[in-house]
Amino acid sequence: MLSARLVVELKVFFDSLRDEDFGVSLRIMVTELRRLSPEAIDGCTEGSINSRVYRLLRKWDNTWRRGTHKAQNTRHTTEVIEDFLEYFRMKFRLMGVDCSRVYNVDETNVFFSQEPIFTYAKRGSRTVSIKGADSAQRCTVMLRGNLAGGKLSPFIIFKGANTRMGYIKKELEIGDGYPKDMVYGVQEKAWMDEELMLEWIEKVWKPEVEGNEQTYLILDECRTHLTTSVRNAFAECRTEIELIPGGYTSKLQPMDVGINKPFKNHIRAEFHNWLVVNRKTRPSRQSVSEWVSGAWNAISASVVRNSFRGAGLVVASSCDIGGRFEEEGNKSDEEEEERSLSSLLDPVELV
């Protein structure tokens, strides 16, 4: 049973977050409970702790609400998908490459402030505002995995001047407070451009694929991937490029099919843990880098392999990765949190 004092402190914390339009998830409340009084839940199971906090939120007349929702409908033609997959499988066999030499690379945005989609809010309230950490900054993260489940170091691009005198570039070169398991770059708008693509090939791609074996790389039709200098740089690495038809990355690109979503879910979880004690500050580049590193390390080899399977990019006779495709971690923690709570509830009584 939670003490009356602890319940009041949790209520004050919840109200202060919502008064400032911050999204409040069950995870944030549990994190705050652990911070306020770890001894109060010592020995309790995860389900019991979640149950207690969930019942408090209900007792305060809050319900799980969506802030904003945007959706885009895209029409996909089955023939285009089947034609691409048939061509890929034929090329895969003709090239005779090993599964560990078949890669997909994709760039994805990571925002410093991870505004949640849902929040607990007063039942019946007509307006549900949600804000994050008061930061509009973003970076681009380039992720890469192969059909065998292997991963390469992420390449993070921060906003800044890509010149010798740029202070952000100097900061990244010094590396104080930045994880050492990633590679960093800067660009005026934190985008991947031709110069940075060539830098990525030199620093990340070439060291990985050095040798006489050929490599098969699947890319989307981003303009940066189509320049002559980039194509020539890949050719020098004996890398064969395959471009996914425009508008079909959500169906045919492994990173989009099964990796980007759980990757960003992990980042959102890291942000929530950070937000509990850092509401009055903005996330630093070092903090975001730590989130990216932790999120990428949390993606297992099976998730990477299943993403290729989910996109249809598996030739069973040549590369048996076993099992059927499961969207492991691909559902948003926020979307699943409320619906999973019924299985966590226990008979613990609250004050």
Side-chain angles (χ1 to χ4, degrees):
M1 180 179 294
L2 302 180
S3 68
R5 178 192 60 80
L6 189 54
V7 172
V8 169
E9 290 182 352
L10 285 172
K11 183 65 165 64
V12 170
F13 173 74
F14 173 83
D15 289 341
S16 65
L17 283 175
R18 288 306 303 143
D19 287 345
E20 298 178 51
D21 287 339
F22 285 102
V24 184
S25 66
L26 184 70
R27 181 183 291 111
I28 284 182
M29 295 299 296
V30 170
T31 301
E32 176 66 2
L33 173 59
R34 293 182 187 279
R35 189 186 71 83
L36 288 174
S37 182
E39 65 276 4
I41 53 177
D42 185 40
C44 297
T45 65
E46 193 69 23
S48 173
I49 298 170
N50 287 339
S51 170
R52 295 181 184 197
V53 175
Y54 173 75
R55 290 181 177 180
L56 276 178
L57 290 167
R58 289 293 193 183
K59 183 179 180 180
W60 299 333
D61 199 28
N62 294 293
T63 187
W64 199 227
R65 298 289 302 278
R66 178 186 291 272
T68 58
H69 176 69
K70 296 181 180 179
Q72 180 179 358
N73 293 325
T74 304
R75 294 183 178 180
H76 297 104
T77 304
T78 304
E79 289 76 9
V80 173
I81 296 175
E82 292 177 348
D83 286 348
F84 177 84
L85 293 177
E86 183 178 353
Y87 176 79
F88 165 81
R89 291 163 184 159
M90 178 193 68
K91 191 84 168 283
F92 181 94
R93 293 189 181 97
L94 289 176
M95 291 177 64
V97 294
D98 184 78
C99 296
S100 62
R101 311 287 288 186
V102 180
Y103 287 91
N104 176 228
V105 169
D106 186 34
E107 300 95 0
T108 185
N109 287 327
V110 172
F111 291 90
F112 284 31
S113 181
Q114 297 285 319
E115 288 84 355
I117 300 173
F118 293 90
T119 182
Y120 281 100
K122 205 68 176 176
R123 190 184 303 275
S125 53
R126 300 184 63 182
T127 301
V128 181
S129 301
I130 300 177
K131 74 175 184 178
D134 194 25
S135 175
Q137 289 197 68
R138 53 168 288 279
C139 62
T140 295
V141 180
M142 192 170 196
L143 302 175
R144 183 182 68 164
N146 64 38
L147 205 155
K151 302 184 298 182
L152 264 76
S153 300
F155 184 61
I156 305 182
I157 305 169
F158 289 111
K159 184 177 181 179
N162 192 13
T163 63
R164 188 175 58 181
M165 301 302 294
Y167 79 92
I168 294 179
K169 187 168 185 176
K170 288 183 178 180
E171 177 184 282
L172 293 171
E173 290 173 350
I174 295 173
D176 287 347
Y178 289 91
K180 306 300 182 184
D181 59 345
M182 296 186 293
V183 183
Y184 303 89
V186 292
Q187 200 268 348
E188 182 181 1
K189 296 184 178 179
W191 293 345
M192 174 64 82
D193 58 15
E194 183 177 2
E195 181 180 355
L196 279 178
M197 190 71 187
L198 293 172
E199 183 178 332
W200 176 82
I201 293 174
E202 186 65 30
K203 291 182 177 180
V204 181
W205 182 257
K206 184 181 289 187
E208 171 69 13
V209 301
E210 280 183 332
N212 297 321
E213 292 185 57
Q214 197 167 19
T215 307
Y216 197 10
L217 177 61
I218 302 164
L219 297 169
D220 57 41
E221 291 185 338
C222 173
R223 287 182 299 176
T224 304
H225 303 157
L226 303 176
T227 64
T228 301
S229 61
V230 169
R231 285 178 174 271
N232 290 340
F234 276 127
E236 291 175 3
C237 300
R238 297 202 64 199
T239 298
E240 182 80 15
I241 297 176
E242 199 66 67
L243 296 176
I244 297 172
Y248 285 81
T249 56
S250 64
K251 298 294 184 181
L252 296 171
Q253 178 152 256
M255 292 292 165
D256 282 337
V257 170
I259 294 179
N260 285 343
K261 186 75 176 210
F263 172 73
K264 291 189 176 182
N265 283 346
H266 285 299
I267 290 179
R268 183 175 290 108
E270 293 291 338
F271 171 78
H272 284 175
N273 291 335
W274 175 92
L275 184 64
V276 168
V277 294
N278 293 280
R279 260 189 299 158
K280 301 301 182 182
T281 62
R282 296 180 179 181
S284 65
R285 285 180 290 275
Q286 289 89 338
S287 294
V288 175
S289 299
E290 292 285 354
W291 303 343
V292 170
S293 176
W296 189 233
N297 290 332
I299 301 297
S300 66
S302 63
V303 171
V304 178
R305 290 193 299 266
N306 279 337
S307 297
F308 278 84
R309 180 177 291 280
L313 302 175
V314 173
V315 183
S317 60
S318 302
C319 187
D320 182 11
I321 62 176
R324 64 185 183 86
F325 172 64
E326 304 247 357
E327 292 184 286
E328 182 178 339
N330 205 28
K331 291 187 177 180
S332 167
D333 290 341
E334 294 177 354
E335 294 171 350
E336 292 300 307
E337 190 170 24
E338 177 79 359
R339 112 181 26 162
S340 65
L341 284 173
S342 58
S343 63
L344 300 174
L345 296 179
D346 60 16
V348 177
E349 187 64 30
L350 291 174
V351 295

